[in-house]
Structures are given as C-alpha cells and as structure tokens.
Amino acid sequence: MAFAGRRDVPEPPDFGILKRLARDQLIYLLEQLPGKKDLFIEADLMSPLDRIANVSILKQHEVDKLYKVESRPAISASDQFCFLVRPRIKTMRYIADIVNADKMSGRSRKYKIIFSPQKFYACEMVLEEEGVFGDVTCDEWSFYLLPLDEDIISMELPEFFRDYFLEGDHRWINSVARALQLLNSLYGPFGKAYGIGRCAKMSYEVWRDLEEESEADGQGRKPEIGNIFLMDRDTDYVTALCSQVVYEGLVDDTFRIKCGSVDFGPDVTSSDKSIKVLLNAQDKVFSQIRNEHFSSVFGFLSQKSRNLQAQYDRRRGMDIKQMKNFVSQELKGLKQEHRLLSLHIGACESIMKKKTKQDFQEMIKAEHSLLEGFDIRESTSFIEEHIDRQVSPIESLRLMCLLSITENGLIPKDYRSLKTQYLQSYGPEHLLTFHNLKRIGLLTEQSAGETLTAVESKVSKLVTDRAAGKITDAFNSLARKSNFRAISKKLGLIPRVDGEYDLKMPRDMAYVFSGAYVPLSCKIIEQVLERRGWLGLEEVVRLLNGNEFSVSDSAVEDNPTWESQRVILAVFLGGCTFSEIAALRFLGKERGCKFIFLTTAITNSARMMEAMIEAKA
Amino acid sequence: MSRARADEEEYWHSSKFRAFTFDDEDDELSQLKESKRAVNSLRDIVDDDDDDDLERVSWSGEPVGSISWSIKETASSSTSSLEGRDSSLQKGSSSYAAFPKQVSSYSLSSLFKGRNKLPSFQSLSDALSDTGVKNYTPELRRPKAEYKDYGSDWSPRDTVRRMQRGKVCSLERFRSLQDKLVLLDEAVAGHDGNVITAVLIFLKRTLRREILFRELEVRQVALCHLIHFLKETGEQKLLLDLLRFLDRTEEVALSQYREHLNIQDVEKRREFLKGCIGLPFSAEDTSHIQDHYTLLERQIIIEANDRHLETAGQSEIFRKYPRKASILNMPLVTTLFYSCFYHYTEAEGTFSSPTNLKKTFKIPDKQYVLTALAARAKLRAWDDVDALFTTKNWLGYTKKKAPIGFHRVVEILQRNNAPVQVLQEYVRLVEDVETRLNLATKYKCHDVVIETYRDLKDRIQLTAYKCKVERGSAEEDKINSILNNMQIRWKN
C-alpha cells in the first residue's frame, strides 16, 4: 500500500496443516467413543472449533446433539456423553453433577471428557473427589494452535494473562512449550531465539528440554521460520492499554473480534439482522485497510466505491455478448466486493458514531499527554470526570492504569480519590478489582514499595542466598516498576514532531498511535533484531527488569541466503494487540522481513481490564 | 532395560493390531515426510506408549489425515530409538518415552496414596485394571511396556519430568519432609504449573498444614500455586488459614469480602456485609466496606417503599416513568441518579432524598451536580437545572456557578434535547471563547455566536455568520444592528 518494501517480503509458511492436524485428532478422539453420542462443548471452545470443523463433520462421527457446557442439559436419551472442555475445576464439577445425577436415577451412560489443550492433575483430583473417576474416561485434544490468518496463530487461551500475571500460576507454560515444539518441527528449526521476560525464559527452557528429549530429525532441514522472539506481556503494558486507531484494532475495540471473525450488528449492516464476517487476508477490502490509520480508511473506501461504480457502469453500452460475459465473469466478484465495501463502510460509520459520543478526541488527547508526560494534572481531572459521568467502567479503569504505568504509580492522594469515586460510580465490589490491579502492578500507589521491601527482607532472612535471589525475582515480577518514562526516553518512543505526521505515508511504527508513540514492545523487537542480540541495550534491559536472552543454535545451519532468516516468529505471552501486529507488519515491509505472530490470545485494553474483575463463582 | 524390550516385543507380537506394513513405498515416504514430521511433532496426538526401533517405518498408503491413518499412527509414531533411551536413562535424565498419555487410566489415589505393598509392576497394573476404564482397547492404547515404570525408583527430577509429560508416577515414596521438599523444588524448577499443583496436592494431603505453610512461605512460586488452587477449588477455610499464617491480613479480609458476590438474597447479603465491616481492611477500605453496607441497607428500604408506591399507582412520577429495574445492588451514583429522578424534592430526613445520600456518603459537589443535572435534564425539569447552578450572594444577587465546566453542562443538556433557550444560557457561560463559539455554532445558539463575535470585535466573522441565520429573522436584525453600530471599534 502506502509504503514500498525495500526487499521482497518472504511469503508466510502455510499454516493450514495445523488445522488439519487438530481436526484429525478430534475426529480420532470422537471415534474412540463409537456410536451415537451427545457432545457438550465449552463456550470458549466453540469459536475455535468452528474454525477447524463444522457440524456436518461432527455428525459424520456420530455426534447426535450439541450442547453448551453450563446450560443445564436438555433431557437427553443418549447413552453416551462426550465433553469437550478446557481443564477447569468448575467444569469438572458440572460434569460430575451430571454423572452423579444419572447414578442416582439409575441411568447408565458412557462419559468421555476431552480436555483441550491438555489435562490437569487438579481436574482429575476433582473427578476423583466427586466419586466419578472410574465412570468417565479422559482424553487430551492437543489443539494448541489455531491459525487465525496467514500470519497470526492464536493459542486461544485468554486466561493465560490472569493465570500467569495475576495468580502467578505456571500451568500454561508447558502448553506454550509444546506449541513451540510443534511449530519448530513443522517450520523450523529456529536458528536464533531471543526473548525477554520471566515467562518467556521459562517457556524457552521447557521447550528446549522437550526438543532435547524428542531428538527431532530437524538437523539439516531447510527451515521456513528462522528466528523466534518471545516476550512477556508485562514487558509492555502501555501499548496494550492505549486506544487503538488502526482499523483492525478499532474494529476489535468497538465490536470485539472473536477468533478472527466479528459480528456486525444491525447498526452496521443497516438491516435488521447481524452478519458474521470473517476478517482476514482473504477479505479483499479488509486486507487493504486493516493496518491503516483510521483517518486514511475513509478515503480509501470512497475511492474504492467510485472504482466499483465505474466498473458497474461499464454495463451501459454493452452488447448482448459483452453483457453475458460481464454477468458470468465479473458480476459475482463485483457483488462480493460491493457487499464487503458496504459492510466496512457501515462499520466505519458505526465506529465514528460511537467514538464521537465518547469524546474520543478528548480521550486520545489525554492519552497522548500521559504518554508524553505533560499536563498530568489535566489528564487526571479528565479521568476523574470520566469516572464521575459513569462513561464506562472499563475505559475508566484503563485510563487510570495508563496514568499509573506511565507515572510509576499514582500519588497517594489521587489514588485514594480516584478509587473512591470509581467505587461510587461503578460499584463498591470493585474494591476487589483495585486489589487485583495493584497486585499485578497495573494500578499502584507511589511509595507502595516500602511495604514490599519489608516483606522481602523478612523472607530473605529465612532462606539461602540462591533462593533469596529467586524470591526477589518473584517479588519483582509481582509488583515491578514500569520505568516507562526512562525507557521511553532511551528508546525514543515519542517521535519528535516537526510538522504534521503524515498518517497516510507513515515513516515509523508510531503511525499506529497517530504518530504520537512507537509501541514499546515492537521497538524492542526492532532493536534486538537489528543488533542481533541485546548488546548496547543494557540500560533498557535493566529498566525492563532483565530476564533477556539471545541464543543461537549452533547445530542449525546458518545460511544467510535462506528466506527463513527473514521470517520471525513473534511470540506474545499474555496476549498481543492488533496495533502491535500492524506495527510489526509495517516494520516487516520496511525491512523486508516477515513477522508471524503467535499469541496466547488476541487482546486489547478492555479484555485486560475485564480479566482483573472478580466474578461470582 | 531388557525387560522393557521383552515387553515391547511381546506387545508387537501379540497385538492383533498390526500397524506396520513393510512393503516399502519410498515415493510415498518422501511425499509423506512432511506430514509425518508434523504428526511426529504432535506427540500427544498419537498415543505413542511404546518405543520401537522401527525407525524407518514404511507407510501403508493410507491417505494422510484419514482416521485409520491416525490410528495406525497411534501404534507406530514413536521415533526415538531404544538405545538412545537406555543411554539417557543411565545418565539419569528421563528422555525416555517422554510423551503425554491420552487416556488417564490411572487414578490420583494411585498417585498420591500409593498402595499398601511396595509399589511393583504387578500390583499397579492390577490397580489400573480395576479403575473401570473400558471404553478403549487396552492393547491399542496402552501397551504393557509402560507399566513397568511404576516400579522404578525415579529421582525427584525424573519424577517431575515424567509428570510433565503426563506420565503416571507414584509420589508415595516421598515420605521424608526433605524428599517432599526436593520434589517440590524440582517441580518449581520444571516450570510446569500443572505438576507444581499436583505435588502440592500431595503435600497438602501428607503434611500437617502448619508445616506445609511454613515451607511455602519461603517458596513463593509454589505458594502462588497453592493459593490459586485453593481459590479455584473453593477451599476457603484453608485459604484463610494460609493467608493468616502468612500475615497477609488485608488479603484475608478481601477474600472473605469476596464471598458476598455469591450471595443472591439481599437480606442475607446485607447481613454478610455487616459482618465484613470488622475485617482487617486498611482504614481506607474499611470505610468503603461500611459504605457498601450502608448503601445496600438504604437500597432495601427505598426499594420496598417505591415498589409499594408503584403498585399503588398513586404517585404520578412512577406512573409516568415506570421503573425499568430495581435499585438493589446498584452503584451509589446510580442510586443518586434514581433518587434525583424520583425523589428530588424530598426533605433531607428521608432515606431516599438526594441530599440525604449526598451527606451520608460524602458525595463530592462535582459528582452530585453531574448526577442531579443528568436526572433533572432527563425529566426536562429546566427550572431544577437552573436552580442547581444558581447561587445567591449575601446581597441577594444571583450568579451562575458550577463545579464542573459549563461545556460539560451544555453537553449533558444537549444530550437530553434541551431547547435552544435553555441551552444558550449555559453556552454563554462557557469561559473559553473558542469552545463557546464551537458549541454555540454546533447547537445553533445564534445569540451567543453573535454576541461573542461582537465582543471579539470580529466584523468579518459576524458578517459571514449572517448567512447561517434565517432571512428576516430576529437574529438577522440583531446582526445588522450590531454591524451598523458606529460605537464599536472593529478589529477588522
């Protein structure tokens, strides 16, 4: 589009095989329970399942009725129940209740639980405790990787964020390692690995262990992906907290893209029904605007509409034969394009309407001030008013977090007053939300460090040096300082403005935030790839609390002519936003390399905030 | 390891499931190499319980991806050689058969409780046979060769590794505290939360809680896992004991307070919240909890009253604007809005009056005004709006004052479709000239625009504005008279 690539960007590998593998394994597992059966599917697994299989495939393998886990099962006459679930304790109890109810009424059925992506010991413990252990059989559906697009693979584990970063639970690290192992065996070997963050490091280690054990025959194979970069979400919360202004990000913020597709409601379709649209590179209209700043999207769409009109107009003055040709060859394509165009135009309108209502302009202004670090008081009162007017509980939280992260915590007076007003506006139970945000380090009070240090030194006295180091690490990860201002200065994240930033002809990754801010996560990746390591970034690493690594696998042939050298698997542990994806796609075009995104889930500020809210059991 | 080999051989010879066909089809082989690589990497797809040195398996020509193909894969997919495995075992690392199982035919009790006899191959396979798992063909899914693992004295490290791969390992051997702790430390070092939690479940069963707590205090990662596990399983009592032991009093309080989310009945919820007031919160949070309790208490009273009023049909406001939802469990600001909507004129003495709420909860002026404004504007009670901003000084002069910017006031009024007469009064009060002009133009408050241009002495803009107003209207006259006014010294 607007930017011309200096070198040819390598084509992404074909990830279709991942879908095929997952589908085949599922079929195999279903066949393990021969005969007709009812299938209970966990809500979270429905969309991913939709992307790899369909009902007719399930029916072919004797699935009779489909139920959603959690809704009370309809009275079912089936002799066999199959549960397709995430490994969660709550779900185990739900299943146990069904089994026990059947037992009470003297009904005998076969039950099978298929865990995806893996089974947890704790789940089996619950089954055992509930007295249904022998009554159910368990299987694992190793569905780790769902390709959402030609360059995005998602693990569809949004709970990763809360489980790891808030609760400190390492349960998904093994899953990440397995996902890496699979990708490495299909598209690797990855010759070079970089990373930053505790979780990145652990995942890397577990993955290497798996590789050593498997003695894979990867040596000497020509890889399709040559580099891998792992990053923890807490390395950069700021970027994830910003309002998104590239089209795909805005669509996600406004309508929520779920598993690569979006439900456009009546306000977009200008009819009385919703339409589900798959958003990916196959959508000829979407693929051209997804990475664009919202302000350039209108122009593009109207240009496109004019072209389309012109093509339709060609009909006039055609003779019968030409007309016949036109109808048989072009009309379908034009109609398709027309449909897509009108949908995206409708989406733009709807976005505009919503954003104008929310004082989007003012909000963006406040965000930019926070990023640049001036007019903090003004931004603080903007946030205050936002809360008082009950604009949106999630947006208010997001702005407070952004203020906290960029300022290394709120001053105690502001913290108290904003918290009080928040509880008054949105409900006292958010006391729990504030506690969670404090624990994860997203919303803190300045000088809170003292209490932490006290506990730390108390604990340290009790243990050996080696362990003490680990504890300090653990504490750091729990409530680390963000040091955003210093990092931003070191890496030049706030571009100097000389004149207007031309959003149509972006000059750097800052365009994804209207030219006001280069996403930190992407800047780190850019710098490390450029330097082929962390050399020269020591100060930045220190400010980011360390845990960086850079490893070359000497066993892997290093052939600079291979395209794979220019293909990088960017792994986001804890979620990745569409803004980051757009920024790195831009960087890839600039540098002639291709980024493949592997994320535990697509995230945005709202999802992150929602993950911090306590729900009833 | 000869036993393993013997078992495997026995398996391959006895199995009716002959997965391999040895008719070489090299073309197929190369063609399928890619897929095979994929499948092999997906160790967990295929249930490779068994190792075999049949590395160079030739494929039978089943279409890749078919079900029968996967089932054959089940039996044949392993790649690592027996020799390699043996040597690695000698080194003490367990790269052997490091693949997760699909079917859990073992029970956790075999994991944690062990058996009376010394665990041996025989007894454990007995245990497996009576777990009641009968939905698969044992020969296919679980070759006997695997069972021998139970007997081995796995080191803590190997035990953890095997558990990471989903293998069964009895933890019963780890009886001394030191062994248990080594096991736990290995689990933590292995970075697999699933295994860490499994070990913790074992420790929880076999150690007195004080001992467990004491050891976890210096093992933060493991501690996080136990806390998370207790939260998920809802073992609230143990969780609270643990937090108390750790002196995390604030978390004790929050964790108890959290339970109110699960109480549906409002009366019970209110009682519960009352009990929460005494919990060891920070001073600041204690007042929030107190407010929470008071708020719900008020809401219960208001709700009972208003429901009565509404059903009686006597009150005009409830007839005209029936309530859409109950006020119970709503935030304070919503309650205030409700009270400004339905109970605006009530005396301070009643619980439902806005002033009472404002006083009780120390609602800041700004917050109060915003909410009252929104409520009264919604009812189009413009006089109330006017009164909200009118202050009298000691001489009796009235003046308009607002704790929020007047542009905000305008916005709220506009959203509630206030008439221009009302709107322009507040647009006029917007201090910043540019904002005032913008708002006035946007909402067609012609008088304000005209007056502002006059005050700015901006003849050009004023002249230009003439085309925005209707021909022959009072506004046009006004513009004309200003433009003709010789007193004004225009800046342009």
Side-chain angles (χ1 to χ4, degrees):
Chain A
M1 285 219 58
F3 20 78
R6 280 177 208 160
R7 259 194 296 184
D8 284 350
V9 175
E11 283 299 307
D14 175 18
F15 295 117
I17 191 170
L18 293 172
K19 286 190 188 177
R20 236 164 41 228
L21 285 168
R23 182 170 51 231
D24 290 347
Q25 197 200 2
L26 178 65
I27 291 170
Y28 170 71
L29 291 170
L30 289 174
E31 299 263 306
Q32 293 300 301
L33 194 63
K36 271 202 181 311
K37 60 224 156 216
D38 284 354
L39 184 63
F40 294 72
I41 306 174
E42 185 120 45
D44 305 14
L45 279 169
M46 290 197 205
S47 301
L49 184 61
D50 259 344
R51 295 297 301 270
I52 59 154
N54 51 37
V55 177
S56 71
I57 289 181
L58 296 179
K59 296 272 176 202
Q60 273 166 34
H61 299 281
E62 295 180 277
V63 169
D64 191 16
K65 293 198 183 65
L66 285 167
Y67 296 99
K68 191 170 160 183
V69 162
E70 284 313 346
S71 56
R72 287 318 294 175
I75 296 128
S76 165
S78 179
D79 289 334
Q80 307 196 90
F81 282 178
C82 188
F83 300 91
L84 190 57
V85 297
R86 290 272 185 236
R88 288 181 193 141
I89 294 201
K90 209 174 147 191
T91 320
M92 293 306 109
R93 297 222 166 106
Y94 163 84
I95 295 170
D97 285 348
I98 293 177
V99 177
N100 280 326
D102 282 352
K103 277 192 192 173
M104 291 290 280
S105 61
R107 227 205 122 126
S108 105
R109 282 192 241 253
K110 278 187 181 171
Y111 312 93
K112 180 187 199 64
I113 306 178
I114 300 173
F115 292 96
S116 177
Q118 68 171 110
K119 179 176 69 189
F120 287 149
Y121 289 106
C123 291
E124 289 179 308
M125 186 212 76
V126 173
L127 293 175
E128 189 179 350
E129 278 181 356
E130 299 283 340
V132 300
F133 193 87
D135 303 305
V136 301
T137 54
C138 298
D139 259 326
E140 283 180 342
W141 181 30
S142 321
F143 181 30
Y144 293 110
L145 298 167
L146 174 68
L148 290 180
D149 207 340
E150 56 175 33
D151 59 352
I152 309 174
I153 306 168
S154 167
M155 295 185 70
E156 291 298 311
L157 288 174
E159 62 260 59
F160 181 101
F161 178 63
R162 185 177 164 120
D163 285 343
Y164 178 76
F165 291 103
L166 181 66
E167 306 290 0
D169 196 316
H170 297 179
R171 60 171 51 152
W172 299 116
I173 291 178
N174 196 39
S175 309
V176 171
R178 280 173 194 282
L180 292 179
Q181 186 190 21
L182 174 57
L183 288 174
N184 187 51
S185 69
L186 288 172
Y187 308 103
F190 312 141
K192 200 100 172 81
Y194 310 96
I196 185 157
R198 279 169 57 80
C199 189
K201 213 167 188 173
M202 290 191 280
S203 306
Y204 175 79
E205 282 168 16
V206 176
W207 165 49
R208 289 318 308 175
D209 279 357
L210 286 173
E211 290 293 347
E212 268 167 41
E213 282 167 22
S214 74
E215 297 164 34
D217 50 353
Q219 311 305 342
R221 211 173 60 217
K222 191 175 162 187
E224 290 178 85
I225 299 175
N227 308 279
I228 171 172
F229 197 117
L230 295 112
M231 184 182 282
D232 284 13
R233 183 69 269 175
D234 70 351
T235 307
D236 174 16
Y237 279 140
V238 172
T239 302
L241 287 170
C242 290
S243 292
Q244 306 196 67
V245 285
V246 288
Y247 185 63
E248 194 166 14
L250 254 177
V251 171
D252 190 32
D253 277 359
T254 319
F255 307 103
R256 293 280 170 117
I257 298 175
K258 202 170 149 195
C259 235
S261 80
V262 69
D263 271 319
F264 281 136
D267 54 329
V268 173
T269 59
S270 37
S271 65
D272 49 359
K273 57 177 196 285
S274 296
I275 300 181
K276 196 171 184 151
V277 188
L278 215 53
L279 296 176
N280 58 30
Q282 260 74 59
D283 179 333
K284 290 284 179 298
V285 176
F286 178 69
S287 62
Q288 285 178 281
I289 50 174
R290 65 194 313 184
N291 300 316
E292 294 296 301
H293 188 271
F294 192 56
S295 59
S296 356
V297 172
F298 291 126
F300 177 84
L301 288 178
S302 68
Q303 179 61 45
K304 197 93 182 160
S305 313
R306 277 198 296 275
N307 292 350
L308 191 66
Q309 187 61 51
Q311 274 173 290
Y312 269 118
D313 287 348
R314 281 191 7 245
R315 302 195 308 276
R316 282 182 212 139
M318 278 183 186
D319 60 26
I320 295 287
K321 200 176 166 216
Q322 285 168 321
M323 187 65 103
K324 205 176 150 193
N325 248 336
F326 176 80
V327 171
S328 65
Q329 287 171 11
E330 286 176 62
L331 195 60
K332 201 174 162 227
L334 290 179
K335 273 188 174 159
Q336 166 76 359
E337 197 175 331
H338 177 256
R339 195 184 70 91
L340 291 171
L341 256 179
S342 66
L343 272 177
H344 288 295
I345 290 170
C348 282
E349 277 172 352
S350 174
I351 289 171
M352 278 304 282
K353 229 184 262 167
K354 283 185 183 138
K355 294 298 173 189
T356 333
K357 225 190 230 164
Q358 284 173 14
D359 296 321
F360 196 54
Q361 205 53 48
E362 233 181 305
M363 187 144 81
I364 295 278
K365 205 181 116 208
E367 273 177 40
H368 290 174
S369 311
L370 290 177
L371 290 168
E372 289 175 53
F374 64 79
D375 286 346
I376 298 301
R377 286 269 33 108
E378 209 170 289
S379 302
T380 310
S381 35
F382 173 81
I383 297 170
E384 189 176 26
E385 215 166 280
H386 200 269
I387 295 169
D388 287 349
R389 288 160 57 221
Q390 290 185 309
V391 182
S392 143
I394 294 296
E395 292 275 306
S396 298
L397 269 189
R398 176 178 77 81
L399 291 167
M400 277 193 286
C401 290
L402 198 58
L403 172 66
S404 169
I405 291 269
T406 51
E407 288 289 295
N408 253 344
L410 270 58
I411 52 176
K413 190 176 127 287
D414 286 347
Y415 181 80
R416 294 225 170 104
S417 122
L418 288 176
K419 179 172 163 185
T420 304
Q421 292 179 68
Y422 191 93
L423 299 182
Q424 292 182 337
S425 270
Y426 302 118
E429 67 278 6
H430 282 292
L431 198 65
L432 299 162
T433 313
F434 277 82
H435 178 68
N436 285 342
L437 288 168
K438 200 172 216 173
R439 275 205 298 153
I440 204 172
L442 274 168
L443 181 51
T444 57
E445 215 176 324
Q446 279 171 19
S447 85
E450 291 160 20
T451 46
L452 197 71
T453 328
V455 180
E456 203 178 326
S457 64
K458 184 183 152 204
V459 171
S460 306
K461 264 180 242 147
L462 298 167
V463 289
T464 59
D465 291 347
R466 193 179 67 99
K470 281 187 185 163
I471 289 167
T472 313
D473 263 9
F475 274 104
N476 281 344
S477 81
L478 282 177
R480 25 166 306 176
K481 281 205 164 160
S482 81
N483 300 318
F484 177 74
R485 210 65 75 205
I487 295 168
S488 164
K489 215 167 175 185
K490 269 262 169 302
L491 289 173
L493 300 182
I494 311 296
R496 260 188 241 118
V497 236
D498 28 331
E500 193 90 333
Y501 190 102
D502 186 357
L503 292 167
K504 289 198 174 68
M505 295 288 283
R507 52 173 178 221
D508 55 24
M509 295 188 283
Y511 93 92
V512 302
F513 292 114
S514 311
Y517 162 66
V518 182
L520 169 59
S521 50
C522 305
K523 187 75 179 181
I524 295 171
I525 293 175
E526 177 208 85
Q527 288 294 309
V528 171
L529 290 178
E530 204 166 83
R531 296 157 195 262
R532 313 192 108 243
W534 295 92
L535 203 72
L537 295 170
E538 291 79 6
E539 182 61 12
V540 174
V541 164
R542 195 186 61 77
L543 292 166
L544 289 168
N545 293 317
N547 286 306
E548 83 287 5
F549 58 91
S550 148
V551 189
S552 305
D553 189 342
S554 52
V556 176
E557 203 182 328
D558 191 24
N559 190 332
T561 62
W562 283 351
E563 287 217 321
S564 62
Q565 295 294 320
R566 290 186 284 127
V567 181
I568 304 110
L569 180 70
V571 186
F572 286 82
L573 301 166
C576 159
T577 64
F578 281 118
S579 296
E580 289 168 310
I581 291 175
L584 287 176
R585 279 177 183 153
F586 171 83
L587 184 70
K589 276 185 190 155
E590 288 277 291
R591 304 286 160 92
C593 55
K594 183 82 196 170
F595 285 95
I596 307 296
F597 302 91
L598 169 61
T599 178
T600 50
I602 294 290
T603 195
N604 62 16
S605 56
R607 292 192 189 94
M608 272 171 58
M609 295 296 104
E610 280 160 8
M612 293 296 113
I613 293 174
E614 292 290 323
K616 65 176 182 210
Chain B
M1 287 294 115
S2 65
R3 172 152 200 185
R5 172 160 277 199
D7 281 333
E8 276 156 21
E9 269 162 18
E10 190 192 330
Y11 165 64
W12 289 115
H13 292 307
S14 65
S15 173
K16 60 181 180 321
F17 213 93
R18 301 235 171 241
F20 308 121
T21 49
F22 289 91
D23 29 317
D24 265 287
E25 288 168 6
D26 273 347
D27 291 349
E28 293 281 1
L29 187 70
S30 62
Q31 208 183 346
L32 290 179
K33 216 177 144 196
E34 166 102 343
S35 316
K36 181 187 170 228
R37 211 166 76 205
V39 175
N40 282 348
S41 67
L42 252 190
R43 308 283 172 186
D44 355 9
I45 280 199
V46 287
D47 198 8
D48 38 334
D49 290 332
D50 197 29
D51 273 7
D52 203 291
D53 44 0
L54 297 163
E55 177 88 53
R56 297 285 149 232
V57 173
S58 71
W59 294 43
S60 64
E62 289 283 348
V64 179
S66 77
I67 294 159
S68 55
W69 171 77
S70 339
I71 294 175
K72 286 187 181 174
E73 270 303 291
T74 302
S76 69
S77 64
S78 56
T79 49
S80 62
S81 74
L82 198 63
E83 286 75 20
R85 177 221 299 172
D86 281 349
S87 61
S88 67
L89 272 179
Q90 278 153 15
K91 278 182 286 173
S93 83
S94 69
S95 67
Y96 159 62
F99 316 119
K101 292 290 140 306
Q102 299 221 315
V103 173
S104 69
S105 51
Y106 52 89
S107 78
L108 272 188
S109 45
S110 74
L111 260 180
F112 300 121
K113 291 178 193 141
R115 302 188 58 94
N116 294 337
K117 298 188 263 182
L118 273 176
S120 69
F121 171 50
Q122 210 52 46
S123 65
L124 273 149
S125 64
D126 287 346
L128 283 155
S129 62
D130 59 34
T131 48
V133 180
K134 46 197 179 289
N135 293 341
Y136 60 91
T137 332
E139 289 83 3
L140 172 63
R141 317 262 350 233
R142 191 154 296 272
K144 287 184 207 148
E146 198 218 340
Y147 296 166
K148 70 174 171 53
D149 301 340
Y150 290 92
S152 315
D153 258 359
W154 300 102
S155 67
R157 187 183 164 83
D158 288 342
T159 304
V160 165
R161 290 230 164 186
R162 292 177 54 74
M163 289 178 77
Q164 278 180 352
R165 311 299 175 252
K167 289 249 177 184
V168 190
C169 275
S170 167
L171 301 183
E172 189 55 24
R173 305 193 293 108
F174 300 94
R175 302 193 71 170
S176 74
L177 178 59
Q178 201 197 336
D179 283 354
K180 289 179 206 288
L181 294 177
V182 170
L183 182 68
L184 181 60
D185 290 339
E186 281 297 343
V188 170
H191 306 319
D192 186 341
N194 179 29
V195 177
I196 299 172
T197 305
V199 171
L200 284 168
I201 294 170
F202 167 67
L203 296 192
K204 181 171 154 266
R205 282 196 200 180
T206 57
L207 285 175
R208 195 155 63 84
R209 58 176 62 169
E210 286 74 15
I211 311 270
L212 176 63
F213 292 173
R214 187 190 70 204
E215 296 301 337
L216 289 183
E217 192 172 17
V218 291
R219 290 174 173 79
Q220 288 295 318
V221 173
L223 179 62
C224 287
H225 282 79
L226 184 63
I227 291 175
H228 192 207
F229 173 76
L230 296 176
K231 279 184 190 168
E232 286 193 315
T233 51
E235 287 175 78
Q236 179 76 350
K237 206 180 154 308
L238 189 58
L239 175 63
L240 294 176
D241 284 346
L242 173 58
L243 294 173
R244 276 190 206 106
F245 178 89
L246 298 166
D247 259 346
R248 298 198 192 167
T249 50
E250 197 181 344
E251 277 176 68
V252 172
L254 285 161
S255 174
Q256 277 174 276
Y257 168 70
R258 190 188 181 286
E259 285 176 67
H260 87 267
L261 294 173
N262 299 320
I263 304 173
Q264 288 300 315
D265 183 88
V266 274
E267 287 294 340
K268 282 190 188 137
R269 192 182 254 218
R270 185 182 55 114
E271 275 313 299
F272 183 87
L273 287 172
K274 196 176 184 181
C276 287
I277 296 170
L279 294 173
F281 287 104
S282 66
E284 181 203 355
D285 285 354
T286 302
S287 75
H288 292 315
I289 302 293
Q290 172 79 54
D291 281 355
H292 191 178
Y293 164 73
T294 317
L295 178 64
L296 185 58
E297 194 183 34
R298 293 292 170 87
Q299 287 172 340
I300 291 172
I301 298 168
I302 297 172
E303 177 68 22
N305 238 333
D306 289 0
R307 199 184 302 133
H308 179 75
L309 278 174
E310 198 174 28
T311 40
Q314 300 291 316
S315 161
E316 200 200 323
I317 179 112
F318 285 107
R319 253 184 296 137
K320 229 169 139 186
Y321 306 95
R323 303 186 310 156
K324 289 199 186 88
S326 128
I327 194 63
L328 295 171
N329 294 317
M330 292 294 167
L332 175 62
V333 170
T334 311
T335 312
L336 179 65
F337 180 89
Y338 176 95
S339 130
C340 289
F341 196 89
Y342 290 108
H343 304 280
Y344 195 59
T345 50
E346 273 169 31
E348 201 188 311
T350 58
F351 281 147
S352 47
S353 88
T355 23
N356 189 309
L357 284 175
K358 180 173 190 262
K359 243 190 185 154
T360 311
F361 296 99
K362 301 191 193 72
I363 299 172
D365 257 354
K366 204 168 166 178
Q367 176 74 280
Y368 179 82
V369 167
L370 271 169
T371 313
L373 169 64
R376 298 324 285 172
K378 184 135 212 148
L379 284 169
R380 309 179 65 83
W382 310 123
D383 291 343
D384 290 339
V385 170
D386 190 59
L388 207 51
F389 299 107
T390 309
T391 50
K392 270 197 179 120
N393 68 7
W394 62 280
L395 290 171
Y397 293 121
T398 60
K399 199 184 163 210
K400 285 270 192 294
K401 239 175 91 179
I404 49 174
F406 275 108
H407 68 284
R408 215 30 110 199
V409 178
V410 171
E411 185 204 307
I412 293 170
L413 289 173
Q414 195 274 331
R415 203 169 285 173
N416 288 292
N417 302 316
V420 175
Q421 293 82 346
V422 177
L423 214 51
Q424 72 178 5
E425 195 174 336
Y426 296 94
V427 173
R428 189 170 282 136
L429 293 166
V430 174
E431 252 180 62
D432 181 66
V433 178
E434 204 177 315
T435 320
R436 191 195 316 153
L437 267 173
N438 276 339
L439 287 171
T441 318
K442 198 159 141 200
Y443 301 135
K444 302 203 165 52
C445 302
H446 300 308
D447 278 349
V448 183
V449 180
I450 295 164
E451 285 159 27
T452 308
Y453 284 136
R454 181 196 62 200
D455 296 346
L456 289 171
K457 305 190 182 3
D458 193 336
R459 180 159 48 182
I460 293 174
Q461 287 291 346
L462 186 61
T463 316
Y465 197 73
K466 218 159 76 167
C467 63
K468 297 261 178 70
V469 301
E470 256 176 76
R471 273 278 165 88
S473 65
E475 287 85 8
E476 199 189 34
D477 290 346
K478 190 169 175 179
I479 294 176
N480 285 332
S481 80
I482 292 172
L483 286 173
N484 294 332
N485 187 337
M486 306 306 270
Q487 309 267 282
I488 302 171
R489 295 170 62 190
W490 300 101
K491 75 168 182 195
N492 50 25

